[in-house]
Amino acid sequence: MKKGQEYVLEIVETEFPGYGVAYYEDNKVLIKGALPGEKVLARVTKKKTKVEAKTVEVLEEVDYKIEAPCPVFDICGGCTHQFIDYEKQLELKEQQVLKLLKDAGIDGFEYEGIISSPKVFEYRNKMEFTFGDYEKGGELELGLHTPVKRNAIVSTTTCLLIDKDFRSILKTTLDYFRSKNIPHYNLMKHEGYLRHLVIRKAQKTGEILINIVTTSQMEFNLEEYKSLLTNITYDGVLTGIIHTVNDNLSDTVKADKVEILYGRDYIIEELMGLKFKISPYSFFQTNTLGAEKLYSCVRDFMSDADNKVVFDLYCGTGTIGQIVASNAKKVIGVELIEEAVHAANNNAKFNGLDNCTFIAGDVKEIIKTINEKPDIIILDPPRPGVSPEALKYVIDFNPNEIIYVSCNPKTLVENLKQLKESGYVIKKLKAVDMFPHTPHVECVALIERE
Ligand code: SAH
């Protein structure tokens, strides 16, 4: 196969995250977004370790394609799978996870299927939007990055992953700053004022926190904006508006200074009967109802923990640790972000749990200093997985049981290989769809000492 040349390919299977796979002579070809059963004309774009191609034209369609309900689906980078029937989305994610495990030689476990998201639309409790423009120098936009144009933003005031309250805030914000002609921050020139709008809305309590993020390059009075937001009629309840100043050069939401414009700087969410205080910069699962499914699975997989010591590594605000705490002698959590650990300890007090301790720091450093022998270790790392070094310490503790919650099946498989080599067996696996219409999938695995 030659780079730049076009080929007719039949997609025979799917590979994580969201690739269609075709075979051409001796080559395996990966085509982003192509679907099993399709026949496509595709141009080879890469030919290094893997052959990758891009669809030029779909020659034979599949019958499970549907019309994407979102009006900006074609240009927005938020959802990539909205044009696939939801049941089929689940089936494809399931196939991708099982293929990764099979290819890595991991078998002999009980596969418990994929759980669907309780809400297929309007499931997110947090969304981060960026200010920018779609046409260079054009009208102000507020939404998500588009994959079709470099540095361009698509306004997402009709987004279906969030509910009506989010959409009202988004539209009010965009209309207001357009009317005032306020410039967005330009990433290349490092000039401008408006950067991000982060909205959090707790699905159980309805509490809403709005965070407007700007640079310090303008003295702009936000009083008028604040009163517009407090005058919206919400289904939920607006409990806080904050203004974050961020002069950082990179395009991430960071805080140099945070000012409370209205109410308080956190929301309370409920999960499985417990309450959690979520501060603006702490990690919290973005699909509350989906998280309940995920954490229930952790609880189901965990053996009777009476009188046992449980480690909750990569604990965020301590959600999983607290959910299993009522059955445990002691829970010790470790998390990198100090603010999240502070929230975790407060949340445990709030929930009347006196057997939980959360420690701030890097898992691979902190784990060396804990003088307790865990019976059960829960791992819930970010997408890069557990580093081989940190996993070595986990194995050295020699726990009978490990429960691994994964947001990236690729790194899960890598970690499972290391665990397998060290005398652990994977007993059970379940997938949970926390992110409908995107290629992401969560998995929970029960791993035991052989
Ligand atoms: N278990 C939590 C959070 C999971 S997300 C929940 O379910 O809500 C992964 C978490 O790992 C994030 O909070 C992130 O800040 C943290 N993290 C990332 N790298 C880390 C490291 N090296 N050591 C400790 N925590 C880390």
Side-chain angles (χ1 to χ4, degrees), residues 95-207:
Q95 284 171 13
Q96 292 172 4
V97 169
L98 293 176
K99 182 168 187 296
L100 280 170
L101 289 155
K102 184 165 171 263
D103 290 353
I106 296 165
D107 50 20
F109 56 88
E110 194 183 320
Y111 173 63
E112 295 200 346
I114 184 163
I115 308 271
S116 58
S117 173
K119 281 186 175 177
V120 176
F121 286 103
E122 304 192 346
Y123 61 81
R124 290 189 63 100
N125 60 30
K126 179 193 175 191
M127 202 75 164
E128 197 176 297
F129 302 101
T130 306
F131 287 97
D133 52 27
Y134 190 76
E135 299 301 340
K136 211 170 167 186
E139 200 175 22
L140 181 71
E141 307 285 354
L142 174 58
L144 301 182
H145 288 269
T146 171
V148 300
K149 219 166 148 183
R150 228 177 116 85
N151 292 328
I153 299 295
V154 183
S155 286
T156 47
T157 49
T158 53
C159 180
L160 297 169
L161 298 191
I162 47 175
D163 75 9
K164 181 176 134 280
D165 286 348
F166 281 83
R167 291 191 291 264
S168 306
I169 297 164
L170 202 58
K171 182 152 186 342
T172 301
T173 304
L174 181 60
D175 288 349
Y176 176 69
F177 288 111
R178 270 184 182 170
S179 77
K180 294 280 165 190
N181 249 324
I182 305 298
H184 66 83
Y185 179 70
N186 183 310
L187 260 185
M188 313 308 281
K189 295 187 190 150
H190 306 301
E191 276 172 18
Y193 179 67
L194 299 165
R195 294 194 76 160
H196 298 102
L197 178 74
V198 189
I199 306 171
R200 275 188 138 138
K201 179 181 175 189
Q203 297 228 326
K204 293 291 184 75
T205 64
E207 292 191 359

Side-chain angles (χ1 to χ4, degrees), residues 211-227:
N211 180 6
I212 174 97
V213 185
T214 71
T215 64
S216 63
Q217 293 182 28
M218 251 177 99
E219 284 288 330
F220 183 77
N221 188 334
L222 290 164
E223 276 303 309
E224 198 179 10
Y225 173 56
K226 178 179 103 180
S227 58

Side-chain angles (χ1 to χ4, degrees), residues 282-285 294-295 312-320 334-337 340 361-364 380-382 405 407:
S282 291
F283 175 89
F284 196 84
Q285 283 288 357
L294 186 75
Y295 299 151
D312 176 13
L313 304 183
Y314 308 91
C315 67
T317 41
T319 39
I320 303 180
V334 182
E335 158 65 42
L336 197 58
I337 309 288
D362 190 329
V363 163
K364 79 171 186 301
D380 186 8
V405 183
C407 56

Side-chain angles (χ1 to χ4, degrees), residues 296-314:
S296 300
C297 178
V298 174
R299 215 159 61 174
D300 292 347
F301 278 4
M302 203 168 103
S303 61
D304 193 1
D306 276 352
N307 271 315
K308 287 185 182 156
V309 175
V310 181
F311 283 5
D312 176 13
L313 304 183
Y314 308 91

